[in-house]
Amino acid sequence: MKTKHWSVIIFLSISTYILGQEGGNLLPNGSFEQGTDGWSDLWTRDKGVGKLELDKSEAHSGNSCVKIIHTGDRDWSLSIEKRLPVKFGEMYEYEGWFKVEGDGEVILCAIAYASDGKVIDWEYGSKRTSQTAGWVNLKSKFIISQDIAAIVPRIIGSKKATIYADDLILKRAGELKPQKKLPDVLTLENKFIRLDIQTADGVFHILDKRLNQTWNQKANNKSVIVLDANKKDQSIELSMHYAPAMIELKANISIERDAPEFLVELQADGKMDSLIYYPYPFVTEKGTYLVVPMNEGISYPVDDTSIEPMRLVSYGGHGICMGFWGVTDGEKAQMTILETADDSSIQIARVDNLLSISPVWESQKGFFGYPRRLRYSFFDNGGYVAICKRYREYSKKIGLFKTLKEKQKENPNVDLLIGAVNIWCFDKNALPYVSEVKEAGIEKILWSNAQNPENLKKLNEMGVLTSRYDIYQDVMNPDNFKYLRGIHSDWTTEAWPNDIIIDAKGKWIHGWAVKGKDDQWYPCGVLCDKRAVDYAKKRIPQELKTYPYRCRFIDTTTASPWRECYSPNHPMTRTESKIWKMKLLQYVSEDMKLVTGSETGHEAAVPYVHYFEGMLSLGPYRVPDSGRNIQKIWDNPPERVVKFQLGHRYRLPLWELVYHDCVVAQWYWGDYNNKLPSLWDKRDLFNTLYGTPPMFIFNRQIWEQNKDRFAKSYKTICPLVQKIGYSEMISHKFLTPDRDVQQTEFANKVKVTVNFGEKDYKFPNGKIIKPMDLLVEGI
């Protein structure tokens, strides 16, 4: 930094203390001229790693400041001694000066308390700053939200650092009130639903007239102050202040005339320095479950205490892979369609001890940016299947929908993919394996590991879909090569340092890390998506001249999130990141005419890819280090994996219900059919139920030991998938209350029934399915 003093605007809720102290400063001893009077002792997570002292040599002004020395890796906190009572709508200005030395950071925030003394937020109004060049002036304006009765302002941080703090000043700046007397409730309705909006807090209440069913939101954080509300025709406009983000919001709520749906659009101008959680979540009821398109899909019973709160981004494969969520009792249902998903996420949390889902709006490069939209839909029957079919129609409307049949007309090699087992074998010569695999009765094969040109030619003649791994993300600093055990041939090394992503602080972001010869970790940079297509154009056409691949797997592109880049040479919003990622996949599949796969998966790529490795594998529930220890076999899988990853009482085929006939879903290469031998049979049953192909990973020893088992897996799954691979999954249902017996039906009249349970299941017509067995009808 060239200047010694610089300013950062941060927002922190602070309220009244004792008027008149320190010339209007409402904080006790904010200049630390009376030592640390009014402030608590320094707290550290680990004992003996923190020290608080008065410093008279580095004061920003006056004679002294406080100095915090922290030598630990975890967190610390310095707060005022007493809680400050606050009132809803009060506005405050708060500022202070900080200097940070070392690798750690300082966070200015407050503990927010409800009237019953419970903590609402441990980091209310938080804002971070790390290493500084001299003193940093932090300024904020903030408003107290409805549920906060008291706060304790504090400074917190983590990691090793020395922090100086001085001249903390708090002043009252007025009160925010509605512009006029507002009606208590404004209403929109059609023949299906009635929507009531409370003007006190912007909460929605919906009556489904068909069932006399109510769906009620709850202001779990009470952050909205409605300043004005007006109704015109079939819409309502709210002018609101969102306290945590210190931002003025305009919400337009419009109801559809001929459907049980309404649309919410939010607009705002200016900076956005914190997340926005609005509209509020719908309160759930016991006996219902959340419908979450996490990868293939999962259901969470709302009263299941084993489910941890989580936030899932909507802009990458490790979050929600389709832009909706819902709640249902199996028949009646409510869904939310996230129409603007590039800078958003969902929060799964408990409201009144039951799980619910809130939308979360994130900034676009620090600003609210474009209008944000949600669509709410209500169903009187059909549950999660009705939700998925409504979303399938929405996908068609916005241009995401493209079937495998359409893709096959453009590239006939797609036929080689349908019903083919994906085999990863890292031995260099595939020919002996493929011959033996075919002799065992495994006929359709996607061979994913790279081969030499002569082998590729022979494999193609044998009818194999030949592929290879490729990546346009990781960029290792070539200065680190001397420390590494090997150099990845697919690293785009020439992209260092000019074409990698730069974050908002001007630093390169860290991607995949590699352990060096010295056992130290060396992180890669991340190639800017805006540059990826250029590198693909340099690599792929030249290679195809001598390497006759029919397919290509592009790692990470649909797994890693859309990213912002602040490089002046290739700046990028998340939306632009998504666009460039899709241009990369489109180039591979359409220009290079290759069957194309990518990792984990996201619906943004549906028009451009043919398969996703990892869509079947729920990201949070894979075995530890599944992406690094790919070939490790787990004889004793973790309980969490058994319960959720292969848990038939939790999993839902949401992806298949929307996109089965558009993209082939596969397991992750760290979570394949033979990864967990004790669950191999169950994984095969999921493949048959969902109409998806298996994945095998083996070396010579594993192949020899399990040859018959691999053949059984293939013969159980793949002939069926060849029959239904191009067909829509039209339904999925549970035939027993415990979900042990499940059935899917496809558009070509094929039905698959699977018994995951421990006892026989008898159909009304007398047919019986044994435990861990299946019945296929319609072929």
Side-chain angles (χ1 to χ4, degrees):
M1 298 290 296
K2 293 182 179 180
T3 56
K4 189 174 181 180
H5 293 74
W6 53 286
S7 293
V8 176
I9 301 297
I10 62 172
F11 300 115
L12 176 66
S13 287
I14 303 295
S15 190
T16 181
Y17 184 54
I18 301 174
L19 294 174
Q21 275 193 339
E22 295 189 4
N25 188 359
L26 306 182
L27 284 180
N29 186 29
S31 62
F32 302 104
E33 295 302 303
Q34 284 78 50
T36 57
D37 289 352
W39 294 81
S40 64
D41 294 334
L42 180 69
W43 173 89
T44 60
R45 180 75 61 181
D46 301 316
K47 293 183 179 180
V49 297
K51 184 179 180 182
L52 175 68
E53 58 186 40
L54 202 64
D55 191 290
K56 294 184 178 293
S57 63
E58 292 287 337
H60 174 259
S61 69
N63 297 315
S64 60
C65 66
V66 289
K67 179 181 180 181
I68 299 165
I69 303 171
H70 188 251
T71 58
D73 291 323
R74 298 205 287 174
D75 53 324
W76 55 266
S77 172
L78 176 67
S79 61
I80 64 171
E81 289 181 328
K82 296 181 179 180
R83 296 184 186 180
L84 308 182
V86 295
K87 294 180 181 179
F88 169 55
E90 290 180 333
M91 299 177 65
Y92 290 87
E93 294 178 352
Y94 180 72
E95 72 170 303
W97 289 85
F98 296 89
K99 185 166 67 170
V100 183
E101 299 173 352
D103 295 331
E105 63 177 355
V106 62
I107 304 172
L108 195 62
C109 63
I111 305 172
Y113 293 91
S115 58
D116 61 3
K118 293 182 179 179
V119 173
I120 297 171
D121 194 334
W122 289 100
E123 296 184 22
Y124 190 68
S126 64
K127 184 69 178 183
R128 291 166 165 78
T129 186
S130 53
Q131 190 177 65
T132 65
W135 285 92
V136 177
N137 181 219
L138 307 178
K139 294 183 178 180
S140 75
K141 280 187 177 181
F142 222 87
I143 297 175
I144 303 303
S145 58
Q146 294 184 54
D147 52 349
I148 298 176
I151 60 170
V152 174
R154 62 177 183 159
I155 307 165
I156 64 176
S158 62
K159 300 182 180 179
K160 298 177 178 66
T162 299
I163 295 98
Y164 300 87
D166 201 2
D167 295 336
L168 300 177
I169 300 172
L170 173 67
K171 295 181 180 180
R172 184 169 179 176
E175 186 175 355
L176 197 64
K177 294 182 177 180
Q179 299 171 359
K180 62 185 180 183
K181 173 67 175 175
L182 301 176
D184 293 337
V185 175
L186 290 174
T187 300
L188 298 172
E189 62 182 314
N190 59 26
K191 63 182 179 181
F192 302 105
I193 59 173
R194 187 184 75 222
L195 165 62
D196 294 326
I197 303 176
Q198 294 178 185
T199 60
D201 50 17
V203 165
F204 301 160
H205 300 280
I206 290 84
L207 171 67
D208 189 326
K209 299 177 182 180
R210 299 164 296 180
L211 301 171
N212 200 33
Q213 164 77 26
T214 57
W215 299 88
N216 298 309
Q217 292 183 346
K218 184 172 183 178
N220 54 332
N221 55 22
K222 297 186 186 247
S223 298
V224 166
I225 303 171
V226 178
L227 303 175
D228 198 7
N230 295 285
K231 178 181 177 182
K232 183 177 181 181
D233 298 327
Q234 290 292 91
S235 66
I236 291 171
E237 186 172 279
L238 303 178
S239 295
M240 304 179 293
H241 188 94
Y242 189 78
M246 194 64 183
I247 196 169
E248 302 296 326
L249 288 176
K250 285 196 177 295
N252 185 277
I253 303 100
S254 57
I255 194 167
E256 298 288 354
R257 294 185 182 275
D258 299 312
E261 298 185 351
F262 66 91
L263 181 70
V264 177
E265 180 176 279
L266 301 178
Q267 297 187 50
D269 295 323
K271 293 193 69 176
M272 178 177 161
D273 287 330
S274 68
L275 303 173
I276 293 177
Y277 296 80
Y278 185 82
Y280 296 115
F282 282 101
V283 178
T284 56
E285 300 175 352
K286 288 186 177 181
T288 63
Y289 50 91
L290 303 182
V291 178
V292 185
M294 172 200 292
N295 307 120
E296 178 65 49
I298 197 165
S299 63
Y300 288 135
V302 299
D303 56 351
D304 189 334
T305 57
S306 71
I307 310 301
E308 300 172 357
M310 66 187 83
R311 199 170 120 222
L312 300 170
V313 301
S314 58
Y315 49 84
H318 291 288
I320 56 171
C321 298
M322 297 181 284
F324 71 88
W325 66 89
V327 61
T328 183
D329 63 0
E331 284 297 328
K332 62 179 180 290
Q334 182 273 320
M335 80 176 296
T336 307
I337 296 177
L338 191 57
E339 293 197 357
T340 51
D342 292 346
D343 298 282
S344 60
S345 50
I346 66 170
Q347 180 68 50
I348 299 176
R350 287 182 171 82
V351 177
D352 297 336
N353 296 316
L354 299 176
L355 292 171
S356 64
I357 299 181
S358 304
V360 184
W361 304 111
E362 304 180 25
S363 74
Q364 184 186 58
K365 286 198 160 183
F367 291 83
F368 188 88
Y370 55 92
R372 315 299 180 95
R373 292 191 305 277
L374 292 170
R375 179 175 296 273
Y376 293 94
S377 301
F378 302 87
F379 303 87
D380 55 357
N381 64 79
Y384 61 89
V385 175
I387 288 175
C388 288
K389 294 310 172 184
R390 172 65 184 93
Y391 193 75
R392 182 177 167 98
E393 292 305 309
Y394 174 75
S395 173
K396 292 177 180 178
K397 180 180 177 181
I398 63 173
L400 287 181
F401 200 84
K402 186 175 183 180
T403 67
L404 286 163
K405 270 295 185 187
E406 293 175 283
K407 297 171 186 177
Q408 187 272 338
K409 290 178 181 178
E410 298 170 355
N411 184 349
N413 285 331
V414 172
D415 268 334
L416 299 176
L417 174 71
I418 305 303
V421 57
N422 187 350
I423 295 178
W424 281 95
C425 176
F426 298 99
D427 290 2
K428 291 183 178 180
N429 188 2
L431 292 175
Y433 285 103
V434 172
S435 296
E436 294 175 39
V437 165
K438 283 185 169 286
E439 286 176 8
I442 299 173
E443 298 173 353
K444 292 192 75 172
I445 302 165
L446 164 59
W447 192 270
S448 287
N449 198 29
Q451 295 292 297
N452 63 46
E454 200 58 39
N455 277 5
L456 288 172
K457 182 179 178 181
K458 292 177 181 177
L459 291 171
N460 288 341
E461 291 170 354
M462 298 169 72
V464 174
L465 181 57
T466 49
S467 185
R468 68 96 119 189
Y469 174 98
D470 201 358
I471 186 170
Y472 297 92
Q473 175 169 293
D474 298 337
V475 184
M476 179 62 75
N477 183 348
D479 290 344
N480 293 332
F481 284 178
K482 57 182 175 288
Y483 305 118
L484 306 181
R485 294 183 173 94
I487 300 170
H488 200 297
S489 60
D490 293 319
W491 284 341
T492 50
T493 302
E494 61 185 292
W496 185 276
N498 295 326
D499 288 342
I500 61 175
I501 291 180
I502 304 299
D503 68 15
K505 296 179 180 179
K507 298 180 179 180
W508 61 276
I509 68 171
H510 290 191
W512 185 259
V514 178
K515 185 178 282 190
K517 291 179 285 189
D518 55 1
D519 287 333
Q520 300 298 311
W521 288 97
Y522 294 88
C524 290
V526 175
L527 178 66
C528 183
D529 297 309
K530 218 171 190 177
R531 292 287 190 253
V533 177
D534 291 338
Y535 285 94
K537 287 180 177 179
K538 291 179 182 179
R539 176 183 296 169
I540 300 175
Q542 189 65 27
E543 181 184 74
L544 290 179
K545 290 178 181 178
T546 51
Y547 288 76
Y549 289 109
R550 292 167 161 172
C551 179
R552 207 170 190 94
F553 172 69
I554 309 298
D555 197 15
T556 76
T557 297
T558 53
S560 62
W562 324 152
R563 290 185 169 98
E564 294 179 338
C565 182
Y566 290 80
S567 166
N569 298 320
H570 39 84
M572 188 173 64
T573 63
R574 288 194 189 96
T575 297
E576 291 167 332
S577 171
K578 177 189 71 175
I579 290 170
W580 283 104
K581 282 173 178 277
M582 297 312 110
K583 286 184 177 181
L584 171 64
L585 296 173
Q586 185 178 24
Y587 173 74
V588 177
S589 64
E590 295 182 8
D591 292 15
M592 294 293 95
K593 302 189 184 307
L594 294 169
V595 175
T596 303
S598 194
E599 183 191 355
T600 302
H602 190 283
E603 66 175 343
V606 167
Y608 312 114
V609 302
H610 305 95
Y611 69 99
F612 285 130
E613 280 195 20
M615 181 57 75
L616 287 178
S617 300
L618 310 179
Y621 305 118
R622 300 170 184 175
V623 296
D625 288 326
S626 60
R628 291 187 183 274
N629 298 326
I630 296 170
Q631 298 186 71
K632 178 181 177 181
I633 301 298
W634 285 70
D635 292 314
N636 297 300
E639 180 183 353
R640 179 180 174 89
V641 176
V642 177
K643 181 175 181 177
F644 295 110
Q645 186 66 268
L646 278 302
H648 62 274
R649 293 188 173 95
Y650 288 92
R651 292 187 65 112
L652 291 176
L654 304 181
W655 179 266
E656 310 310 322
L657 285 164
V658 180
Y659 290 123
H660 179 267
D661 53 338
C662 294
V663 180
V664 176
Q666 300 177 355
W667 302 105
Y668 180 57
W669 73 348
D671 184 52
Y672 40 91
N673 287 64
N674 58 302
K675 179 78 171 180
L676 315 170
S678 63
L679 296 170
W680 192 340
D681 289 345
K682 190 170 189 181
R683 200 184 290 268
D684 286 358
L685 288 179
F686 273 116
N687 280 124
T688 59
L689 184 68
Y690 292 1
T692 58
M695 176 186 286
F696 305 153
I697 292 186
F698 53 67
N699 54 27
R700 174 53 64 182
Q701 180 181 3
I702 293 174
W703 167 249
E704 294 292 347
Q705 291 176 347
N706 298 276
K707 188 182 301 185
D708 292 341
R709 183 62 188 85
F710 283 122
K712 177 187 173 185
S713 186
Y714 176 88
K715 292 172 184 178
T716 299
I717 302 166
C718 291
L720 169 63
V721 177
Q722 290 165 27
K723 298 287 187 181
I724 60 179
Y726 286 114
S727 292
E728 175 189 355
M729 180 189 284
I730 61 173
S731 73
H732 170 269
K733 54 188 172 184
F734 303 107
L735 300 186
T736 57
D738 59 9
R739 298 190 173 189
D740 281 354
V741 184
Q742 302 182 22
Q743 185 180 82
T744 52
E745 184 174 358
F746 296 84
N748 62 352
K749 308 300 182 184
V750 174
K751 285 185 180 180
V752 182
T753 308
V754 165
N755 184 358
F756 291 110
E758 298 178 349
K759 59 185 179 181
D760 291 353
Y761 175 77
K762 187 175 182 179
F763 284 95
N765 63 7
K767 286 185 179 180
I768 292 176
I769 307 181
K770 295 291 184 182
M772 296 302 290
D773 205 353
L774 73 154
L775 174 68
V776 178
E777 301 172 281
I779 291 182

